[in-house]
Amino acid sequence: MKRTEALRGGRLLARLLVLLLVGCGEAPRMAPEPAAGGRFSVAELLGEQGEGADPPSYAVADPGYRLQFPLDHGPHPRFKSEWWYLTLNLSDADGAEFGGQFTIFRQALRAGAPRSDRDNPWATAQVYLGHLAMTDVAAGQHRFAERLSRGLPPLAGSRSAPFAVWLDDWRLESTGTTFLPARLEAGGEDFRWSLTLNEGKPRVLQGQAGFSPKGPEQASHYYSYPRLQVSGTLQQGTRETVVTGTGWLDREWSTSVLSAGQVGWDWFALQLDDGRDLMLFNLRREDCSRDPYDHGLLVAADGRSEYLAAERFELTPLRQWSAGWGRHSAWRPLDACRAEHWPLEWRVTVDDERFLVRAALSDQRMLTTVHYWEGLVRVFDEHGDVPLGRGYLELTGYAD
């Protein structure tokens, strides 16, 4: 997608989101104000509630809650935000690499619904936003699409059993009576995924038994399928490619994720060739200090998982990249405590192990209503010489 088209689409969707907020009965002051360029920041949409914000009657994550399945595969409308998030590490028969992302966000516009909503389904308090992406490493291409709809069942929605989440003709759903196998059908203007997801490793609970704290009063419920077995086709124009590989599915719901002083996050989902999987994240602070709520999860080859507190790992950005420096320009080393632009090469330290993580393609930006970088990365030994795996990196809150 061309940059001008993406920016125009992002501005349009930002305006549509404001219209949906007002059209669903919210007072205009309840709608978040978009930042410069007509887009929203992550902190604006997912930050803590303050004066003039939503009433404090949303549900909040509870450390005593024990996740229930299949119930928790479906929606949690009493919480403000949630997402179904799938990333893909795929290859064709010749070894060419492809990355993919499919995410559907549900956002509540208010806690509860007025009595009049029962007679007017268009006054639903739920909005669904979808992001879809494809990275073709050999071709040097990254394409993405975005959709937005009210949570009206013919248009967008979700359910727990049999599981399904959909937005227009984008659909991720179980193919039988159990959660997996599942089928993904979704496409943009010039690409389309048609994939089957089968269980590889079993489901794991993130954080502390599925309770993932992000601040003193901020937390989410969070679980993952870290190594799905994926097969199917990628359609690019008239060319269809058979692909196989692995996927990572995250489910998370909350009412407030970021607290004061937090501007975004760096999130890693790495699948190592030795069978281990790593989820790690930094909550980035304005003052560059380490956030004590950073944490991660190490999943062994046999599926056993181990919580990683902040002191057990370190994520150090080494080089940053910006589209403003030219598409083929060299990445620049960091000379400050944090990157100003997109940090696309990292040193990852877990206990006594060190890895080098580097973007497979520089420009994997999502120029959507919220701008962020989401893309396929490669994992190497600490010197960058020996390939050790692949994964996905998400960067939010940076300058574009």
Side-chain angles (χ1 to χ4, degrees):
M1 182 181 292
K2 294 182 180 178
R3 177 178 173 82
T4 54
E5 294 171 343
L7 290 173
R8 191 179 303 118
R11 291 174 185 140
L12 174 61
L13 283 163
R15 295 188 186 107
L16 284 174
L17 182 56
V18 173
L19 289 174
L20 283 171
L21 285 161
V22 177
C24 286
E26 290 294 285
R29 66 179 179 86
M30 305 295 280
E33 289 293 330
R39 58 188 174 90
F40 293 94
S41 72
V42 170
E44 287 169 330
L45 291 178
L46 298 179
E48 64 182 355
Q49 301 177 61
E51 183 180 356
D54 300 298
S57 52
Y58 285 106
V60 295
D62 178 3
Y65 177 74
R66 293 297 174 258
L67 273 61
Q68 305 173 53
F69 300 100
L71 177 67
D72 283 326
H73 293 315
H76 302 82
R78 294 180 57 243
F79 290 79
K80 187 176 181 180
S81 304
E82 73 179 305
W83 47 85
W84 294 259
Y85 171 86
L86 173 67
T87 56
L88 304 162
N89 298 304
L90 305 175
S91 303
D92 67 9
D94 297 321
E97 293 178 277
F98 299 91
Q101 177 206 353
F102 169 82
T103 309
I104 291 186
F105 306 88
R106 180 200 57 79
Q107 186 82 6
L109 306 182
R110 58 175 173 269
R115 193 175 298 272
S116 60
D117 283 10
R118 300 173 188 173
D119 302 320
N120 180 9
W122 288 99
T124 174
Q126 307 297 326
V127 171
Y128 283 77
L129 175 69
H131 288 171
L132 186 70
M134 183 280 302
T135 298
D136 184 335
V137 177
Q141 294 180 336
H142 174 72
R143 300 184 177 122
F144 62 90
E146 181 174 49
R147 293 187 179 182
L148 178 87
S149 176
R150 293 174 185 265
L152 192 67
L155 304 178
S158 55
R159 65 171 185 250
S160 57
F163 166 74
V165 60
W166 65 93
L167 202 170
D168 296 334
D169 64 343
W170 294 4
R171 198 170 187 96
L172 176 64
E173 63 181 336
S174 301
T175 60
T177 58
T178 57
F179 179 66
L180 294 170
R183 183 76 180 169
L184 172 66
E185 290 286 348
E189 182 178 346
D190 48 7
F191 71 97
R192 184 171 188 84
W193 294 108
S194 298
L195 301 172
T196 298
L197 315 179
N198 285 285
E199 184 170 315
K201 289 184 180 178
R203 178 179 61 237
V204 294
L205 304 183
Q206 298 281 2
Q208 301 157 8
F211 176 81
S212 177
K214 309 294 197 301
E217 298 181 1
Q218 289 71 41
S220 66
H221 292 299
Y222 183 8
Y223 68 90
S224 305
Y225 286 86
R227 198 175 285 242
L228 297 168
Q229 300 303 306
V230 182
S231 61
T233 60
L234 167 62
Q235 188 85 27
Q236 297 185 75
T238 59
R239 179 166 62 96
E240 184 175 86
T241 304
V242 175
V243 291
T244 59
T246 58
W248 184 300
L249 178 64
D250 269 357
R251 281 285 291 117
E252 195 164 5
W253 60 97
S254 67
T255 286
S256 180
V257 175
L258 296 178
S259 58
Q262 295 173 339
V263 297
W265 59 77
D266 311 312
W267 175 89
F268 294 73
L270 307 178
Q271 297 170 329
L272 304 181
D273 293 341
D274 63 10
R276 293 179 297 165
D277 303 300
L278 271 170
M279 188 286 295
L280 303 166
F281 68 80
N282 276 339
L283 292 164
R284 289 199 340 281
R285 303 192 60 83
E286 291 175 325
D287 63 3
C288 296
S289 63
R290 181 72 188 270
D291 196 292
Y293 289 92
D294 295 350
H295 59 267
L297 194 75
L298 172 62
V299 185
D302 63 5
R304 290 179 296 174
S305 60
E306 180 182 2
Y307 175 77
L308 299 174
E311 60 268 18
R312 290 191 56 187
F313 70 92
E314 186 173 357
L315 304 173
T316 306
L318 301 177
R319 292 195 294 167
Q320 60 184 330
W321 173 88
S322 171
W325 299 336
R327 187 171 297 273
H328 302 293
S329 66
W331 294 345
R332 296 183 180 180
L334 295 181
D335 55 6
C337 60
R338 291 292 186 194
E340 295 180 357
H341 299 283
W342 308 108
L344 300 186
E345 183 174 280
W346 295 74
R347 182 172 62 245
V348 175
T349 304
V350 181
D351 295 332
D352 58 351
E353 288 188 277
R354 283 190 173 186
F355 307 96
L356 185 74
V357 175
R358 183 184 296 139
L361 191 68
S362 299
D363 195 354
Q364 297 182 73
R365 293 170 298 160
M366 299 293 292
L367 301 178
T368 49
T369 304
V370 176
H371 284 199
Y372 60 103
W373 194 99
E374 178 92 32
L376 185 67
V377 295
R378 295 167 176 154
V379 185
F380 300 90
D381 70 332
E382 61 178 309
H383 304 294
D385 299 327
V386 181
L388 298 178
R390 292 193 292 176
Y392 251 73
L393 169 64
E394 181 177 83
L395 306 169
T396 71
Y398 289 92
D400 186 39

